[in-house]
C-alpha cells in the first residue's frame, strides 16, 4: 500500500492538518507516502491538473512500483 497526498494551500473544505496527520501516521508505520501542498490551490481546482503534478505522480509510481 502506498499513498500520494495532494492538498491545496487555499482549501476551505478540509483542513491541511488532516493531510499532515495522515502523512505522519503513515510515516510512523513505514508506509510509503508523500505529501504535496499545492500553493494557491483550492479544493480540487484546476491547479491539480498541471503538468508538474502529473510528473510528481509519474515519478512516485515509478519509484514505488518497480
Amino acid at each position: 500500500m502506498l499513498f500520494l497526498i495532494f492538498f491545496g494551500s487555499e482549501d476551505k473544505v478540509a483542513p491541511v492538518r488532516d493531510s499532515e496527520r495522515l502523512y505522519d501516521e503513515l510515516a510512523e508505520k513505514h508506509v510509503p507516502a508523500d505529501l504535496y501542498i499545492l500553493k494557491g490551490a483550492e479544493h480540487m481546482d484546476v491547479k491539480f491538473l498541471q503538468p508538474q503534478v502529473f510528473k510528481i505522480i509519474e515519478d512516485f509510481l515509478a519509484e514505488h512500483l518497480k
Side-chain angles (χ1 to χ4, degrees), residues 19-53:
S19 293
E20 292 169 336
R21 191 173 346 193
L22 172 61
Y23 174 78
D24 291 343
E25 290 181 19
L26 292 167
E28 285 177 15
K29 292 176 173 56
H30 306 286
V31 174
D34 284 336
L35 169 63
Y36 291 89
I37 298 174
L38 302 178
K39 230 179 211 181
E42 295 181 21
H43 191 80
M44 289 304 299
D45 77 7
V46 71
K47 290 180 179 151
F48 286 88
L49 302 175
Q50 300 301 312
Q52 300 90 329
V53 174

Side-chain angles (χ1 to χ4, degrees), residues 11-22:
D11 192 329
K12 306 281 189 280
V13 176
V16 68
R17 186 64 196 128
D18 287 353
S19 293
E20 292 169 336
R21 191 173 346 193
L22 172 61

